[in-house]
Amino acid sequence: MRGAKAFTLTFYPTFSSRKKNRPLTLSGTSMNAAVRATVRVGIYTGAKVYFVHEGYQGLVDGGDNIRQATWESVSMMLQLGGTVIGSARCQDFRSKEGRAKAACNLVKLGITNLCVIGGDGSLTGANEFRNEWSELLQILLKAGKITAEEAKRSSHLNIVGMVGSIDNDFCGTDMTIGTDSALHRIMEVVDAITTTAQSHQRAFILEVMGRHCGYLALVTALACGADWVFIPEMPPDEGWQDHLCRRLTYQRKIGNRLNVIIVAEGALDRHGKPITCDIIKNLVTKKLSFDTRATILGHVQRGGTPSAFDRILGSRMGVEAVMALLEATPDTPACVVSLSGNMAVRLPLMECVQVTKEVTKAMAEGRFEEAVKLRGKSFENNWNTYKLLAHVTAPDVKSNINIAIMNVGAPCAGMNAAVRSAVRIGILQGHNMLAVHDGFDGLANGTIEPMTWGYVGGWTGKGGSNLGTKRSLPASMIEEISLNIAKFNIHALVIIGGFEAFLGGLELVTAREKYEELCIPLVVIPATVSNNVPGSDFSIGADTALNTITTTCDRIKQSAAGTKRRVFIIETMGGNCGYLATMAGLAAGADAAYIYEERFGIHDLETNVEHLLEKMKTTVKRGLILRLVTLSHNLQMTLKCNANYTTDFLFSLYSEEGKGVFDCRKNVLGHMQQGGTPTPFDRNFGTKMGAKAVLWLTDKLKECYRHGRIFANTPDSACVLGMKKRATLFQPLSDLKEDTDFEHRIPKTQWWLKLRPILKILAKYKISLDTSETATMEHVIKKRGTV
């Protein structure tokens, strides 16, 4: 078996669930966040929890490999890479004799539920173990190793899986645990290499992991703006060598000082022959005489600190896995907990394994288009975006359409990636792309200039806003804006920004009644660290800010490791939206996160203080409190979650009440949350959103072309492009007004609020967990057809 790691949950006889006295076991490969969440939620539900060290090998060997876990034993795990309970490949588990030993160890502990965190090999092994469970019991009975009573008590085995694989090669889930962290490691190297490549005008070839799946290579190519990517799912066409050389030459011709080629380790040509870094290097060096370097990243991709996304994903999957096992019956098929959009879903394990194997079969038979589709919508969308940006040439005939792009509101990482993508897709559609500097002020003042392909070169990895951005709204300068739209003959508008972009779009739509020049299609792409734009569950820039906060919290917690008995109060940005505070709390393991959406008073503060006092009596001697703040228009920090309970007040309260038990420190993170290079998620998200926006505008312009001119005044001609649950949607600005709290600048419904109970449970607060909206079992075929 491929390496699987295990830990076990056995319910106390006093557990009051309808599944009382039923044993539960977990084994897993990869992420400590998933281990931590499952242990703590298991204990929360009344379970006795065991670690099974060294995966299936530990399950076979038993003894000290199966040890009871406590709440404190999973403390300080979130920031650790790898797995603290070990992982090992196990030949013994491949044999029935070995599986019988594993079954005996489980039966003796009264365990009838197993959760496996691993790849398709580990999950397939778990399902086989489940299918032959009754047979294994009979073998053990005949050998006298278990009693009839023990066999009766352990008559069935339930399975739930969580997918841990940096390759993201398991069908049925958008993202596997570990993939985002691997992308972070890769992009750190790519950014470093890009610097030297630009200095020396070099071509760089980078090999990333992915023997059978090109996800890492594909997303890396999108995130760094690579000139070419080689993936196993879609080998290049015949004659790719000449095509590659033409593309590299063209990039140098238009002024690019470097070329980047990404290669998945399993890349093949149409005849099944490997395409390696050395083959490409020799080709480029011999035919183009470019100074070329090759780098194989290797196992560096597997290490390092987990990203915020992976920590939250692991935590959510761990909670969902426990819920799935609680609800399982002997007839429930083994399931895998997956991610679809921002939703946790349950899918039949073997259906996912079957589809994963179908991908391999399709590639072997040369059905490459089908292989891409079988990977799922997320993979297919990435591939289609890459093809548009890297393999399509600009048409000779122009469309005579002018599309203007602007940034509005506070700057954030990923804005430049969205602009670059929008500009290049627009050029490929034959449009003229215009840069509007400094937001609506620039549109009013005529600070507008054309953008070429090379104008946005290298923008993907740059933070902030290269176009410049301001918070000004258009209402006070609407006449000047309308005049410049006419002067520059602007036919469509892309507005990239936060809540001000949303408000500005609404003001432009309202002004259409008076100014005909404003009757043009427009699209708003949410981009803000606050993640508070109506119409989208995610905003460009929020992931980068979240990782900045999480990394800082890790360092702050580490500083308390020596002194111990210390509580930190940390301010985060976010306006009235508690997204950053809540998600950073989940990712960093905070004890509390105070936000505007969840009002709190003196009783809540008293509960939090008492909680920390009790915590200090355990082996965990540190606490972390996150506090939501915002940046107001006069550039001073203004607390929004509660006007009276300020950070200084909280600091004084915790300092006073903790005297003799713990001391207190406070940290204001400030503008560092808005800076930095974009994360792989924000680069990829921004790239895809920019492309989708311009393609939508292209279609909308055709609809609005009447009598030789553009005239758009319908609600669906001014939209927000956002991700909602499982899909990206264009929603009319006017339709979103009902779901907007304009006073507090937040949507009225926010999906992440349902995750707050998980934050509190993982911090050991005694609260009720609402399970009314737990995921139901779906089917992979249906899911692939509807997402």
Side-chain angles (χ1 to χ4, degrees), residues 388 395 399-403 421-433 491-494 521-523 690-705 710 717 730:
L388 280 172
S399 67
N400 294 322
I401 293 293
N402 299 321
I403 298 179
S421 174
V423 168
R424 292 193 169 180
I425 292 295
I427 291 171
L428 293 173
Q429 296 296 309
H431 307 324
N432 301 308
M433 306 304 292
H491 301 107
L493 188 62
V494 179
L522 67 90
V523 60
K692 284 179 180 289
V694 172
L695 291 175
W696 178 82
L697 285 174
T698 301
D699 291 337
K700 191 60 64 176
L701 285 164
K702 294 175 183 175
E703 292 178 19
C704 300
Y705 186 78
I710 304 296
S717 64
F730 289 90

Side-chain angles (χ1 to χ4, degrees), residues 626-637:
L626 292 178
R627 169 81 176 168
L628 173 65
V629 303
T630 187
L631 184 63
S632 67
H633 292 290
N634 61 6
L635 302 184
Q636 294 182 356
M637 302 305 283

Side-chain angles (χ1 to χ4, degrees), residues 502 505-506 509-510 512 713-720 731-740 742:
F502 174 74
L506 280 173
V509 170
T510 302
R512 282 176 171 179
N713 65 346
T714 57
D716 66 352
S717 64
C719 290
V720 170
Q731 300 162 87
L733 285 161
S734 55
D735 291 356
L736 293 170
K737 289 196 288 187
E738 292 184 5
D739 188 43
T740 304
F742 286 95

Side-chain angles (χ1 to χ4, degrees), residues 569 571 627 639 644-655 666 668:
I569 298 173
E571 288 188 356
R627 169 81 176 168
L639 291 167
N644 297 309
Y645 299 134
T646 64
T647 299
D648 288 335
F649 172 83
L650 290 177
F651 172 71
S652 299
L653 173 69
Y654 279 95
S655 297
K666 65 178 178 179
V668 179

Side-chain angles (χ1 to χ4, degrees), residues 523-545:
V523 60
V524 175
I525 301 177
T528 168
V529 301
S530 300
N531 196 34
N532 65 333
V533 179
S536 187
D537 293 340
F538 295 102
S539 296
I540 297 167
D543 185 70
T544 303

Side-chain angles (χ1 to χ4, degrees), residues 177 270 432 562 634 637 657 762:
I177 299 171
R270 293 273 166 168
N432 301 308
N634 61 6
M637 302 305 283
E657 296 299 322
L762 295 178

